[in-house]
Amino acid sequence: MIALIQKEIRSFFGSIIGYLVILVYLLINGVFLWLFPGNFNILDGGYASLGNLFTISPWVFLFLIPALSMRLFADEKKAGTLEILLTKPLSDLQIILAKYIAGLFLLLLALLPTLLYYYSVYELGNPAGNVDSGGTFGSYIGLLFLGGAFLSIGLFASSLTDNQIVAFLLAMFLCFFVFYGFDQIAGFDLFGSADLLILKLGINEHYVSMSRGVLDSRDLLFFVSVIALFIGATRVVIQSRKW
């Protein structure tokens, strides 16, 4: 399993995809947080806070994580190497988890350079260090769980097809719906008391709670459940090839 994780990580950086994901994520956040004037600009806001980073990042993830995950199984199917991989002394779940962990590793690499933003805000505070460090790192955990949920959805989408573009579009649609779709459905106020339940089914509601720096066990359980659901669905798709 470790060998497969290493293979996936090497394949990310053996092409432009791995570098592009990290570069685009940092570039988009950097220009909105530091260069473009407006509501997201930290210097214009006048507060020592990284809150806007955690507002922008989910929308960037909606595009970048499907781009990261689209090749995980689709490429194996197109190249005809998935059958060979399934003959290895690994269970289907271990193969799926290896690809998932490799994707998480790349996601972590994309997030790590943003700690420079935290250091900058820390030094710019008046006095220096006048920043909610606990809330900021709690928000980072929320962002990591959000990225993990999107990655599990992308992994599932990639397992359904051998076309990377189709996998990308399907993953982007599913991520958007699970992130924001339930909020819109609940906003129509069509189901009475059930609207609150529908709202709670969406990722955004739980992410917003965690992005305040509050780590509620119910939010953590929700994200773990979403990740487990889509990893389980991916396993069913992979096993269906043996039927």
Side-chain angles (χ1 to χ4, degrees), residues 81-231:
T81 56
L82 181 58
E83 285 73 15
I84 298 174
L85 185 60
L86 293 174
T87 63
K88 300 295 183 182
L90 291 170
S91 67
D92 294 343
L93 184 59
Q94 286 176 316
I95 293 171
I96 293 167
L97 288 177
K99 289 179 175 289
Y100 181 77
I101 292 169
L104 274 183
F105 179 78
L106 192 63
L107 181 61
L108 276 171
L109 287 184
L111 288 176
L112 280 175
T114 64
L115 292 177
L116 291 174
Y117 301 162
Y118 168 75
Y119 176 75
S120 300
V121 170
Y122 185 93
E123 291 296 323
L124 288 170
N126 186 18
N130 185 25
V131 60
D132 184 4
S133 297
T136 299
F137 285 104
S139 299
Y140 266 111
I141 294 174
L143 189 58
L144 184 59
F145 271 98
L146 175 73
F150 283 175
L151 184 60
S152 69
I153 295 171
L155 193 67
F156 169 68
S158 183
S159 71
L160 294 173
T161 179
D162 61 359
N163 188 304
Q164 293 189 35
I165 303 302
V166 173
F168 170 77
L169 294 174
L170 180 58
M172 192 166 60
F173 170 77
L174 289 174
C175 287
F176 178 80
F177 181 79
V178 176
F179 178 67
Y180 199 60
F182 288 103
D183 291 40
Q184 293 300 301
I185 294 172
F188 291 140
D189 199 21
L190 298 175
F191 303 99
S193 58
D195 285 330
L196 181 59
L197 176 61
I198 294 172
L199 185 66
K200 293 291 184 182
L201 290 175
I203 287 179
N204 187 43
E205 177 72 11
H206 298 273
Y207 173 71
V208 168
S209 176
M210 293 182 72
S211 65
R212 301 189 187 104
V214 179
L215 299 182
D216 192 312
S217 59
R218 291 169 296 183
D219 297 323
L220 295 174
L221 180 61
F222 173 83
F223 278 108
V224 170
S225 299
V226 170
I227 293 168
L229 173 65
F230 281 98
I231 286 179

Side-chain angles (χ1 to χ4, degrees), residues 38-90:
N39 295 330
F40 293 116
N41 191 290
I42 292 174
L43 300 177
D44 288 348
Y47 294 97
S49 171
L50 270 183
N52 289 333
L53 170 66
F54 305 110
T55 301
I56 297 171
S57 288
W59 298 101
V60 181
F61 278 178
L62 283 174
F63 297 94
L64 287 191
I65 292 183
L68 167 66
S69 63
M70 65 183 182
R71 55 163 296 280
L72 289 174
F73 278 110
D75 194 46
E76 299 271 12
K77 286 185 174 183
K78 187 174 182 179
T81 56
L82 181 58
E83 285 73 15
I84 298 174
L85 185 60
L86 293 174
T87 63
K88 300 295 183 182
L90 291 170

